[in-house]
Amino acid sequence: MLIIVTYDVSTETKAGCRRLRRVAQVCKNYGQRVQKSVFECQVNDVQFEQLRRKLLKEINKDEDNLRLYRLVGQRDNYVETYGQSRTLFFDEPLII
Amino acid sequence: MKQFLNTLYVMTQGAYVCLDHETVKIEVEGKVQLQVPLHHLGAIVTMGNVMMSPFIMARCADDGRAVVILDRNGQFKCRMVGKTSGNVLLRQAQYEAVREQERTLAIARNIVAGKVKNARQILLRGIRESDNEEKEEIDALKKASDTISNVLFHLKDAKDIDEVRGFEGEAAEAYFQSFDRMVKKSERKFFTMNGRSRRPPLDPVNSLLSFLYTLLLNDCVSALEGVGLDSQMGFLHALRPGRPSLGLDLMEEFRSILADRLALTLINRKQVTAKHFESRPGGAIYLNDEGRKAVVVAYQKRKQDEFHHPILDSKAPFGLIPHIQARLLARHLRGDLEAYTPVLYS
């Protein structure tokens, strides 16, 4: 399934900047960045649980906000993209 | 059931492949070109001058992800092997089966039957798709398919492995003699073939086939190692140092459905043309960089196509079939299945 992860991490303090970096890294480990704080992650059930657990460990619930959207089924049915985008499809041929 | 994971091909010369947290990062001239989470990948294949960091190699070894190194022509150079894994008892059963002539013969016979039957399906499809006016073509294809039917009929009486190999050779010769009849007339000026030639391939069709077979062999060897079988201990192919005999055995039934049919499609749809080839001194013909890329893309796409597996009676992507067959073979060697059944295409 495709998970859309979006977050707002407060960067007013040094600790906030650190959290921002760490949240982004967790997302990167599971998917790809499509906008500044929006990630698309193609994962199975187990990986989704891991992703959620790791994200919850990083954020500070008093200051930050995290949203996870679960899209089940064909990606094309849910996602429309306009403008500048360089999304990759990890299940298509990966050749460089 | 194992999930069918993607394969990452790195063909850009001078690229650097490294580990970044849980992702693979590929840099070309210091710039990040691609970053993929590891959980999408079942294998990494590099071609030519591609560097890989020890960390990514170690990580792949830990996870059982295949790492294969090919030269720029797609010739197999080496694969990375981690700790000896898999089931010792399974390997022992495999060695015992290789020593027992009757069992070896039975497995080899089924493998050849699968190969030959699938090749015949390709010919029959060629007949269906060719113009009715081209009588000569159809007759040639019919003749080849008759020869193969004949081989299939006699194969079951083969008394030893040499006889099985003889039947296989007979069928293969008939098949490849008429193979280029399935190439469209308009493309045949460039894509002609005079039987199978390899090391080196002497015409574009042969070089295309050789390249596809290399890709396929890597997948088959990975599938076998994945279930814990020894890919060098084969039944049909003679044992030789360094030769992945069992990989070659497993590949036989897939050659025509995964590689040959794809080669024909690429040629007939003009996805591969004369500009994708280069000739070398001594008459060898090879795909060039652009050509190899086109073929790899098509091969990867083909692996995602769905196929109805007759024994499992369920759908599976083509890319998963070598893994399924490796598992069926392992079950037979352990004694859980009475015979090894090749996959049949219809």
Side-chain angles (χ1 to χ4, degrees):
Chain A
M1 64 189 150
L2 186 68
I3 305 293
I4 312 292
V5 185
T6 70
Y7 52 78
D8 256 334
V9 177
S10 159
T11 53
E12 276 170 15
T13 58
K14 241 186 166 174
C17 293
R18 180 165 183 270
R19 288 202 304 278
L20 182 71
R21 275 200 312 277
R22 292 180 62 104
V23 168
Q25 184 60 55
V26 171
C27 294
K28 244 194 234 172
N29 288 344
Y30 286 89
Q32 61 178 324
R33 183 170 240 142
V34 288
Q35 281 177 5
K36 274 200 181 120
S37 50
V38 179
F39 279 81
E40 287 183 12
C41 306
Q42 188 74 47
V43 291
N44 61 28
D45 292 341
V46 177
Q47 288 157 349
F48 176 56
E49 290 301 330
Q50 291 172 344
L51 172 63
R52 180 167 53 198
R53 208 188 59 230
K54 285 184 185 166
L55 285 171
L56 289 177
K57 228 168 79 186
E58 299 300 343
I59 60 161
N60 175 343
K61 280 185 188 154
D62 297 329
E63 296 180 40
D64 310 335
N65 176 266
L66 174 72
R67 282 166 178 272
L68 301 174
Y69 298 86
R70 242 192 289 192
L71 306 187
V72 183
Q74 279 290 313
R75 174 200 165 90
D76 312 355
N77 296 346
Y78 295 100
V79 185
E80 290 181 38
T81 314
Y82 305 98
Q84 300 299 311
S85 157
R86 275 186 303 157
T87 333
L88 275 167
F89 298 101
F90 291 134
D91 40 10
E92 298 232 316
L94 288 172
I95 290 147
I96 183 156
Chain B
M1 180 57 73
K2 191 177 162 167
Q3 208 189 338
F4 166 53
L5 295 170
N6 211 339
T7 305
L8 170 68
Y9 288 88
V10 187
M11 307 170 90
T12 310
Q13 300 303 295
Y16 179 58
V17 183
C18 56
L19 184 69
D20 178 11
H21 295 88
E22 295 293 303
T23 65
V24 193
K25 193 161 78 180
I26 294 138
E27 292 177 3
V28 179
E29 287 167 3
K31 272 176 132 174
V32 181
Q33 293 280 329
L34 184 74
Q35 196 163 1
V36 189
L38 279 168
H39 74 249
H40 286 289
L41 299 178
I44 300 178
V45 178
T46 71
M47 286 186 194
N49 178 26
V50 172
M51 284 157 288
M52 223 188 250
S53 84
F55 298 106
I56 184 83
M57 292 201 274
R59 180 60 196 272
C60 289
D62 280 348
D63 299 351
R65 196 173 286 112
V67 175
V68 179
I69 296 176
L70 312 179
D71 74 4
R72 286 184 69 182
N73 294 322
Q75 271 275 351
F76 177 81
K77 289 294 155 194
C78 67
R79 38 184 277 109
M80 206 180 64
V81 181
K83 277 184 216 149
T84 306
S85 64
N87 189 333
V88 196
L89 301 177
L90 172 62
R91 277 202 301 279
Q92 194 181 31
Q94 181 186 358
Y95 299 145
E96 273 164 17
V98 170
R99 268 199 296 271
E100 284 170 38
Q101 269 186 12
E102 273 304 302
R103 291 183 73 188
T104 298
L105 178 63
I107 295 172
R109 209 161 41 196
N110 282 7
I111 287 171
V112 172
K115 169 188 181 164
V116 165
K117 178 117 199 303
N118 288 337
R120 183 164 175 269
Q121 285 298 330
I122 300 293
L123 291 174
L124 293 180
R125 179 160 165 193
I127 294 172
R128 278 202 307 276
E129 285 178 356
S130 56
D131 261 327
N132 282 331
E133 287 153 32
E134 295 171 5
K135 190 118 190 10
E136 192 199 332
E137 318 284 301
I138 295 177
D139 284 347
L141 290 174
K142 271 200 180 126
K143 209 177 126 209
S145 89
D146 288 346
T147 308
I148 292 179
S149 303
N150 199 28
V151 167
L152 266 175
F153 183 73
H154 291 292
L155 186 63
K156 60 180 187 302
D157 305 323
K159 278 182 230 46
D160 57 45
I161 194 86
D162 286 330
E163 254 183 83
V164 173
R165 287 180 187 142
F167 280 129
E168 185 211 349
E170 196 184 318
E173 200 188 312
Y175 176 69
F176 281 118
Q177 280 304 333
S178 57
F179 187 77
D180 61 357
R181 308 261 178 180
M182 291 183 277
V183 172
K184 264 195 199 149
K185 263 244 162 83
S186 55
E187 305 303 311
R188 217 172 289 166
K189 204 174 250 166
F190 185 68
F191 290 102
T192 47
M193 184 188 189
N194 185 19
R196 177 94 179 104
S197 61
R198 59 207 187 98
R199 281 187 222 165
L202 299 174
D203 57 64
V205 182
N206 271 301
S207 74
L208 188 54
L209 289 177
S210 288
F211 184 67
L212 282 166
Y213 290 160
T214 310
L215 299 178
L216 184 57
L217 178 60
N218 290 330
D219 284 345
C220 287
V221 171
S222 306
L224 291 166
E225 300 278 347
V227 297
L229 287 165
D230 182 339
S231 60
Q232 295 200 334
M233 202 65 156
F235 298 95
L236 174 66
H237 288 84
L239 306 184
R240 268 191 223 140
R243 185 193 215 185
S245 297
L246 189 61
L248 292 163
D249 284 1
L250 185 66
M251 178 163 88
E252 291 296 358
E253 60 203 78
F254 303 118
R255 279 179 197 261
S256 56
I257 49 183
L258 272 168
D260 300 355
R261 190 55 240 173
L262 183 61
L264 288 171
T265 309
L266 283 169
I267 295 171
N268 288 341
R269 288 195 191 148
K270 296 194 177 58
Q271 283 169 285
V272 169
T273 56
K275 71 168 188 193
H276 289 121
F277 294 89
E278 61 191 30
S279 42
R280 303 274 175 81
I285 294 200
Y286 285 106
L287 283 156
N288 60 24
D289 287 348
E290 204 189 333
R292 279 191 296 275
K293 235 173 212 174
V295 174
V296 170
V297 169
Y299 178 70
Q300 286 300 102
K301 286 231 163 98
R302 175 71 171 155
K303 283 202 289 186
Q304 289 175 346
D305 287 348
E306 296 240 307
F307 169 86
H308 182 86
H309 195 289
I311 292 176
L312 302 183
D313 195 24
S314 71
K315 280 199 162 172
F318 272 110
L320 198 53
I321 304 181
H323 295 271
I324 296 172
Q325 293 304 116
R327 204 149 293 189
L328 289 177
L329 179 60
R331 292 183 64 182
H332 166 61
L333 292 174
R334 275 203 204 107
D336 298 340
L337 273 179
E338 204 162 300
Y340 171 70
T341 345
V343 67
L344 294 180
Y345 185 62
S346 54

